[in-house]
Amino acid sequence: MKSFNKGSYHVRIASSEADVRRAQALRHLAFYGRTGRDCDAFDERAHHILIETGAGQVVGCFRLMDIADEAQILASYSAQFYGLEPLRAQAGPLLELGRFCVAPGVRDPDVVRVAWAALTRYVDEKAIKTLFGCASFAGVEPAAHADSMALLKARYLGPEALRPHIKAQAVYRFDEGAEQADFRRGLAQMPGLLRSYIAMGGWVSDHAVIDHDMNRLHVFTALDVARMPEGRKRLLRVSAA
């Protein structure tokens, strides 16, 4: 993916170790609320996408990992938390999206739109068939996100044959009590990345993983590009132009 400008933002793939460190610093600030570097072994395999202001400030980032075969599916970041053996039935090539974050205090929705524009370019250039990753809720108390979880269970569960198996020790199975939930509030309280996934036809796992280290609830999400609504595809490609 070539770098490009969109509105007041510049988007590019990290081209140096210093760029990667900038992404890791933003991730640590966004996920842990303090300075530091969020890094793991998967960073070496990934393309890191930076969203910068005209002044060079990184306001958003995410990483992409190309998944070429079954072995790489089972060696992905998401496979740490989920049994992804069923995903091997999905058409390839696949792409794992991870570590998506926006700088704390930045409320401009165009940052997320620009991120999807970059992702659309990458998906089209690589002819990606399936996109997957973990969308995360802040905190580890499922009750705080009960409406969102009930909405996901009621409307957005993936096909049973493709859903990941439980692998992590600490998980939350989505509630049965969807009829008592406020779905409108549940949608409003979802992380922006997850809302985008399901708006484009994405599906989710039937449980969340409780990650005490990151203080997050992870929800596995996948998107079959061929099944995206045509109207959504057109809008994304217009935004990516």
Side-chain angles (χ1 to χ4, degrees), residues 74-236:
L74 301 183
S76 64
Y77 174 84
S78 300
Q80 296 179 106
F81 305 106
Y82 290 91
L84 297 186
E85 289 80 6
L87 202 64
R88 294 179 295 182
Q90 283 288 79
L94 294 84
L95 180 68
E96 184 175 37
L97 166 65
R99 286 302 201 263
F100 177 88
C101 63
V102 177
V106 173
R107 299 287 182 262
D108 185 358
D110 279 347
V111 176
V112 176
R113 295 190 187 104
V114 168
W116 277 101
L119 186 58
T120 299
R121 289 189 176 204
Y122 194 96
V123 166
D124 281 348
E125 289 172 10
K126 296 294 187 77
I128 299 299
K129 302 299 184 185
T130 303
L131 178 69
F132 71 92
C134 293
S136 299
F137 290 83
V140 293
E141 295 299 331
H145 308 289
D147 292 322
S148 297
M149 301 295 185
L151 174 58
L152 292 175
K153 181 178 178 62
R155 297 182 181 174
Y156 301 109
L157 288 188
E160 189 170 357
L162 294 177
R163 275 183 234 158
H165 301 148
I166 290 179
K167 181 177 182 179
Q169 291 187 343
V171 302
Y172 171 75
R173 295 175 183 266
F174 293 159
D175 260 334
E176 296 288 344
E179 64 277 3
Q180 285 85 37
D182 184 334
F183 284 174
R184 181 175 297 180
R185 183 170 59 190
L187 183 62
Q189 292 178 346
M190 275 186 200
L193 178 63
L194 182 53
R195 279 200 306 273
S196 296
Y197 263 123
I198 62 177
M200 294 174 194
W203 55 265
V204 301
S205 53
D206 59 5
H207 64 285
V209 170
I210 302 172
D211 185 343
H212 289 283
D213 290 338
M214 288 191 70
N215 192 35
R216 291 289 191 278
L217 293 169
H218 302 305
V219 176
F220 179 85
T221 310
L223 175 63
D224 184 339
V225 174
R227 293 181 178 273
M228 287 178 60
E230 288 301 320
R232 290 282 179 181
K233 288 182 184 179
R234 286 194 296 272
L235 288 173
L236 282 172

